[in-house]
Each structure stands twice: as C-alpha cells, then as structure tokens.
Amino acid sequence: MIVAAALPLVAEYGAAVTTSQIARAAGIGEATIFRAFKDKDEVLDACVAEAVGTDHVLRELATVSLDEPLDVRLTEAAEALRAHMERMGTVVGALHASGHLRPGRDGPDGPDGPDGRGDRDGGGGRDEGRDGQHGAGPPPDARARSFVALRDAVVELIEPDRDACRLSPEKVATAFLGLLFTRLHAAAPGAEAPLSPEELIAVLLHGSLNHPGSDR
C-alpha cells in the first residue's frame, strides 16, 4: 500500500518527495511508514524494486486470451510491456535526475530487457556504491531471469500457433521482445516515429516486403 501510493509521487518529485506526502497519499499516519521502512531511502528503493519488477506485467500477460488471433495477442502483450517499461523509465529517471540513483545502474539497457526484482547485495539490502550513492539495478543474473520470465510468458501466447510458425515459439518470442525493446528506445527527439505496436507485429509475423496478391 505504501509503495503503491508512493510510486506516482516518486515519478513526479523524484527523491524530493516527502514521507508526509506519501503518508497522505496512502491514507496513513507518517509514523506508519517508519514502522515498515527504516527511512525514506528504503521507501525509494522499494519503489524502484516495484517499478523494475516484472510481477505486475507478467500477471497482465497471463490475462491475454488465447482465443484471440495471434496478432491480437501479441499486440496486447506489446501494450502491456510498453506501459511497464514507461513506468519503469519514469520512476528510475526521476530518481536519477534528483540524485538518488547513479547513472548506468538501472532500467532496461538494450535487448537484455527490463530489470527484474533481484536481491541486491545478496540479501535485499540497498546496494551502496563506493561513492555512497544508492544503485537500484539488479545484478545481471536477475536481469537475465527477468528476461526469461517475460520470454516464457510471450511463448505461452504464441504456443497455440506453433504449427503455423516457421520458427519455434521461443525464437519468435525472443524476436518480439528484441523488436519491442528497440522500438521503445528509438523515440529520440527528431527521429522518425517508432513502429506502432500493430506495425511491429505485422513486421514480425509477415515481414516488411510486399507479397504477390497483397493490397500494397
């Protein structure tokens, strides 16, 4: 409850958010926060863990109906993953900008995909760098586990159409995530608009060339 109430405030204010603001948003007394967390830094670290964790998006992927056509299933998956990545980027970016996190430690960097909710320092404590600042990036093995969990969830969405695919569902899912993460990183200022989810799925399933008899 505390972390859920804190997330939008952290996204807006970064490390400048106060525990009194969080308490008001959660509808609790400020003292209740300090019974659950040692200090505000622990609240912020819990917010990062929640933002980069994949539990929520995995639950969303599990609700996609397998009765829908494959392109619809993958479009819904792309939208769920986009929302997850945007929330992660907003929270982590706000904390970077306000000095709570060190650059280069957090967020989805390339095709490794979104960071998972891994234990830090082997025991869930805050990761302290030599400069004393907090880092929130889970270790590489946690990122790998997170990517595998997402890939496996997408594989389940593709599995009903295994026989129609030239590649295995595992390879299709890996290509899907690679295209999606590239799309999310491609929105640089002044750059051409990235592929829409529908365009991305069309390229994945049908390629980028016109075929004889097509309307284009």
Side-chain angles (χ1 to χ4, degrees):
M1 178 178 70
I2 293 173
V3 172
L7 275 171
L9 294 172
V10 171
E12 182 175 358
Y13 298 106
V17 67
T18 66
T19 52
S20 62
Q21 287 175 306
I22 295 171
R24 285 196 299 273
I28 58 176
E30 192 172 1
T32 302
I33 293 177
F34 295 109
R35 286 196 288 270
F37 299 94
K38 183 177 71 175
D39 53 27
K40 189 179 80 172
D41 282 339
E42 282 199 350
V43 178
L44 297 179
D45 286 345
C47 287
V48 173
E50 178 64 22
V52 304
T54 55
D55 290 351
H56 179 76
V57 70
L58 288 173
R59 286 194 296 270
E60 286 198 39
L61 293 176
T63 67
V64 175
S65 173
L66 298 181
D67 294 330
E68 297 284 358
L70 179 58
D71 59 337
V72 174
R73 278 176 259 151
L74 291 180
T75 299
E76 290 183 20
E79 290 290 357
L81 285 161
R82 178 197 58 76
H84 166 69
M85 299 283 277
E86 286 186 356
R87 182 178 76 158
M88 182 198 312
T90 299
V91 170
V92 171
L95 290 175
H96 272 315
S98 55
H100 181 72
L101 300 177
R102 288 176 293 159
R105 292 298 304 272
D106 326 280
D109 296 318
D112 285 341
D115 294 333
R117 186 202 306 274
D119 284 342
R120 286 164 282 165
D121 296 336
R126 289 198 303 276
D127 176 15
E128 297 283 341
R130 281 179 293 180
D131 59 0
Q133 289 181 284
H134 302 136
D141 60 332
R143 289 195 293 272
R145 288 196 303 270
S146 178
F147 179 82
V148 169
L150 291 174
R151 184 202 64 194
D152 289 349
V154 176
V155 167
E156 290 187 19
L157 298 179
I158 299 169
E159 187 64 40
D161 289 88
R162 173 183 285 271
D163 292 342
C165 295
R166 287 184 294 167
L167 300 176
S168 69
E170 290 76 15
K171 288 185 176 180
V172 176
T174 299
F176 167 78
L177 291 173
L179 283 170
L180 180 63
F181 297 150
T182 299
R183 170 190 178 272
L184 292 171
H185 286 296
E192 186 175 352
L195 295 175
S196 68
E198 293 78 11
E199 289 171 332
L200 184 150
I201 302 307
V203 169
L204 176 69
L205 298 182
H206 309 296
S208 58
L209 297 178
N210 288 326
H211 297 283
S214 69
D215 294 333
R216 297 184 180 181

